[in-house]
Amino acid sequence: MSIDAPEPTTQVSAADALRAKQIRQAEELTESAPGHGGFARALFRGEFHGASLFPYPTLSATDRAEVDKAVAAVRAFADARIDAAAIDREADIPRSVVHGLAELGVLGMTAPVEFGGRGFSQQGYCRIMEVIGGHCASTAVFVNAHHSIGIRALILFGTTEQKAKWLPALTSGDKLAAFALTEEQAGSDASNVQTTAVPSADGKKYILNGTKRYITNGAIADVLTVMARTPDPKGGDSKITAFLVTPDMPGFEVVEARMGKCGIRGTATAKLAFHDMPVPAANILGPVGKGLKVGLTVLDFGRTTFGASCTGLAKFCLDAAVRHAKERRQFGRPLADLELVRKKLAYLAAVAYAMEATTYETAALIDRGGEDYMLETAILKVFSTDALWQGVYETLQVYGGQGYFTDEPYERLMRDARINTIGEGANEVLLSFIALVGMRDVAEGLKATLEGLKKPSRFLPTFWSFASQHVKHMVKTPDVPVVTPMLRPAAQGLARRVSVFGRVVERVLITHRESVLDRQLILERIADAAIALTTSACTLARIDSALSLHAARDDERAAAELYLRMAGKRFDDALRGIHKNHDRETLEAARTVLRR
């Protein structure tokens, strides 16, 4: 979103300086989002790009056979060799598990075959991560850190020489990877990295200084992608650059190898430090000063596999809750006879179905080679992690006191699931990100329109363009291309909401202008509405495809229909809350607490 920073003056207040910095950071983050053609981005304009999601994506027969074989092998390995309870208890993933995953090709699943990988698509890899995520969260996070964000930057941005040097050992599991972004002042605020990298006089190396924390695989990795600030040769603000770093470089320190934590205890989460550490210039990953783009692109892949891992665990929770509800008797009848228990089972079924649909639609966007899927991955991450957190709660509640004790896995699942809403971008930050990135195109269009109306020579063309666009939104709803007749009412309802959404986004921007950057309660509602629309569209595409092929089970149809109603209510509540809310009282209560 293009927002003008305050004009420089001889005496700039601290508040103005902070405001200017926040605007620059917001622009840097939002401008890292490429393109204008993404499905979710179009929703903010009141458009529905049905061809992006319909028909629901499938693998080719050849790819499906290979993926099915790999999934079966990973599931058999997980059942026989991955003891999730022991990994949690011992706070360690055994080397035998790492070696076994390497032998199955999991550690290089999507890497090119010429570098030792298996060349799987993102959809195929998500199938693998769904299995691992449903079995052991620690192992899923370990794999995700190594593959989805650890070696992914090398695959996407590495030179041919860098790939040839590093990838074979990383895909085989002989070496492990990590991704080092988070610092004391930088986590979800990715643009606030403070670690520095200063070039030597001859330009052959960079000297790194700084610290990183909460780095999964940090102490066991052989190759780390490290984000650091490099000076601007033209004298402007420093920019973030990505570096390939190895622990044998002088000045590399593991401050803490395994930081104690609430859940995913099997992962080695480290604190690192770099003391005048020389890194060859040849180890720069991607262009100098473009590390933020490298990092955010890599996180897109990590968030997609987050969705897959959450899907696997959501399915596990659904199966476990259904089984217990049918077997456990209270008040002379099975728990499954009680409406409040059935409500929990229905919720689990609905969100698991929608989670799976949204995961594989997002993975397919990546596989098609497009660039504009940053909003979709953020939406998937927020939706799947929030829904899973609630789903684990509901599952433990179905089990009651039995689920609270450590001889059952549910208290561990609760501890493990908690990190999901924080890692790879805290959900609260991503809600603002979704809203701001989504609204950027609309904001720029409104700005251009207002500027055009000020110029006599541009008044009539600008006014005509603006008016025709508004008339189109008011009189015509977009087409949602379902082929199953029974789904047309749901498709029409979704289309109406998309049209309404476009008009509401414009009104919010006209009302609040640049101050919308600070109106996080409004941004949250805009993002909630976008999440509801996107997940509804993915769910609708999935059930439409299944029904058209006569492949939908009754429970799947019921789950999809329930989710569409749940998402519709989420959308309606979000937009209603923009005008009818108690935001003023909420913020005043917070102010009084902060003054205490």
Side-chain angles (χ1 to χ4, degrees):
M1 181 179 296
S2 179
I3 303 293
D4 293 332
E7 291 294 327
T9 61
T10 54
Q11 289 186 329
V12 179
S13 70
D16 287 341
L18 178 60
R19 174 68 172 169
K21 179 182 177 182
Q22 289 172 336
I23 289 173
R24 288 196 302 272
Q25 289 177 339
E27 288 181 340
E28 189 176 6
L29 284 169
T30 57
E31 287 169 5
S32 294
H36 299 274
F39 173 82
R41 194 188 295 263
L43 295 174
F44 287 79
R45 303 191 298 269
E47 301 169 7
F48 190 91
H49 291 184
S52 297
L53 303 185
F54 290 79
Y56 188 69
T58 57
L59 297 171
S60 68
T62 301
D63 288 347
R64 188 185 313 116
E66 186 177 1
V67 170
D68 286 347
K69 183 178 179 181
V71 166
V74 171
R75 179 173 287 114
F77 175 81
D79 290 340
R81 304 276 296 279
I82 302 179
D83 186 338
I87 287 173
D88 178 71
R89 185 171 57 252
E90 301 297 329
D92 184 41
I93 298 172
R95 294 300 299 178
S96 61
V97 170
V98 176
H99 290 152
L101 292 171
E103 289 173 1
L104 292 169
V106 171
L107 301 186
M109 217 78 204
T110 68
V113 174
E114 59 266 34
F115 296 114
R118 295 195 60 176
F120 270 37
S121 66
Q122 189 68 11
Q123 294 174 77
Y125 180 49
C126 282
R127 289 276 310 279
I128 300 296
M129 290 306 298
E130 185 181 321
V131 172
I132 298 173
H135 191 90
C136 175
S138 287
T139 304
V141 171
F142 157 75
V143 174
N144 207 39
H146 168 82
H147 189 300
S148 295
I149 60 176
I151 70 172
R152 179 64 70 174
L154 184 57
I155 294 172
L156 293 174
F157 296 97
T159 64
T160 301
E161 293 76 16
Q162 288 172 336
K163 292 177 184 178
K165 180 178 181 180
W166 305 110
L167 273 180
L170 291 169
T171 57
S172 68
D174 291 338
K175 294 182 182 296
L176 297 177
F179 183 80
L181 167 66
T182 305
E183 305 176 0
E184 184 176 350
Q185 301 298 329
S188 297
D189 183 5
S191 63
N192 202 29
V193 166
Q194 301 299 310
T195 295
T196 61
V198 179
S200 60
D202 59 9
K204 293 183 178 180
K205 60 186 176 182
Y206 282 72
I207 307 301
L208 263 68
N209 281 283
T211 61
K212 299 288 181 180
R213 64 177 183 176
Y214 311 150
I215 308 303
T216 304
N217 297 353
I220 62 174
D222 304 282
V223 183
L224 300 92
T225 303
V226 176
M227 297 296 166
R229 285 202 166 274
T230 51
D232 182 352
K234 298 179 180 179
D237 292 341
S238 60
K239 300 292 185 181
I240 298 172
T241 300
F243 292 86
L244 291 168
V245 167
T246 57
D248 59 352
M249 291 177 175
F252 184 101
E253 180 189 3
V254 176
V255 179
E256 190 172 354
R258 291 182 177 270
M259 304 175 72
K261 52 191 183 293
C262 170
I264 57 167
R265 292 177 176 172
T267 58
T269 307
K271 183 176 182 179
L272 309 173
F274 315 117
H275 308 285
D276 293 327
M277 186 176 76
V279 181
N283 285 26
I284 292 175
L285 193 57
V288 175
K290 297 296 183 181
L292 188 60
K293 180 177 175 60
V294 172
L296 293 179
T297 302
V298 166
L299 289 175
D300 286 336
F301 287 81
R303 289 166 184 163
T304 306
T305 45
F306 241 95
S309 296
C310 289
T311 297
L313 188 51
K315 289 181 177 181
F316 175 88
C317 288
L318 173 61
D319 290 344
V322 167
R323 182 174 59 251
H324 187 74
K326 292 165 70 174
E327 295 173 353
R328 173 69 167 165
R329 298 183 66 84
Q330 290 284 278
F331 309 107
R333 54 180 174 167
L335 287 177
D337 285 356
L338 304 174
E339 285 192 351
L340 289 179
V341 173
R342 290 189 174 194
K343 178 183 176 183
K344 298 179 186 302
L345 303 181
Y347 171 84
L348 288 165
V351 297
Y353 190 91
M355 207 183 292
E356 183 174 357
T358 308
T359 294
Y360 290 99
E361 285 281 17
T362 305
L365 293 177
I366 293 174
D367 287 337
R368 292 188 195 117
E371 293 184 349
D372 192 3
Y373 43 74
M374 185 174 283
L375 275 183
E376 287 81 1
T377 63
I379 285 170
L380 171 62
K381 194 272 180 180
V382 173
F383 166 65
S384 62
T385 57
D386 278 346
L388 179 64
W389 174 244
Q390 183 66 30
V392 172
Y393 169 87
E394 301 294 3
T395 303
L396 196 152
Q397 199 71 6
V398 169
Y399 271 79
Q402 181 178 338
Y404 194 71
F405 290 87
T406 57
D407 59 339
E408 296 280 1
Y410 306 105
E411 61 84 26
R412 168 170 51 82
L413 301 188
M414 182 173 61
R415 289 187 285 105
D416 288 343
R418 189 61 189 89
I419 189 60
N420 294 338
T421 62
I422 300 170
E424 299 198 15
N427 285 6
E428 290 77 11
V429 174
L430 286 178
L431 287 170
S432 293
F433 177 81
I434 290 165
L436 289 173
V437 171
M439 292 193 297
R440 187 179 68 179
D441 294 348
V442 182
E444 291 178 349
L446 288 172
K447 182 179 179 181
T449 298
L450 292 173
E451 290 175 351
L453 291 174
K454 296 176 183 177
K455 302 175 182 178
S457 63
R458 293 290 302 154
F459 180 85
L460 286 179
T462 300
F463 178 77
W464 177 253
S465 175
F466 181 77
S468 62
Q469 188 71 17
H470 274 257
V471 169
K472 182 177 74 172
H473 284 323
M474 287 188 290
V475 303
K476 184 180 180 181
T477 57
D479 178 52
V480 178
V482 297
V483 298
T484 308
M486 67 178 292
L487 294 178
R488 284 174 189 156
Q492 291 166 357
L494 176 58
R496 285 193 297 272
R497 287 185 170 96
V498 170
S499 184
V500 168
F501 187 54
R503 297 197 296 271
V504 169
V505 166
E506 283 189 355
R507 287 202 299 270
V508 165
L509 288 168
I510 291 170
T511 300
H512 298 285
R513 300 175 69 86
E514 67 271 9
S515 69
V516 77
L517 281 169
D518 299 319
R519 302 300 299 272
Q520 291 185 353
L521 297 180
I522 290 176
L523 295 179
E524 178 185 41
R525 296 181 181 107
I526 293 292
D528 275 344
I531 291 169
L533 293 178
T534 302
T535 55
S536 290
C538 294
T539 300
L540 194 58
R542 182 185 177 196
I543 192 61
D544 182 48
S545 178
L547 288 171
S548 67
L549 296 173
H550 305 287
R553 303 191 310 262
D554 288 344
D555 62 310
E556 293 175 329
R557 179 188 54 77
E561 290 178 351
L562 173 59
Y563 182 76
L564 291 173
R565 290 184 178 275
M566 290 166 55
K569 184 178 185 303
R570 178 177 184 173
F571 177 90
D572 296 343
D573 290 347
L575 294 198
R576 188 181 302 113
I578 291 176
H579 304 291
K580 296 182 178 180
N581 56 62
H582 48 265
D583 291 355
R584 183 177 61 82
E585 293 82 2
T586 297
L587 296 175
E588 178 57 28
R591 279 191 289 269
T592 61
V593 171
L594 291 168
R595 286 197 301 264
R596 184 173 61 188

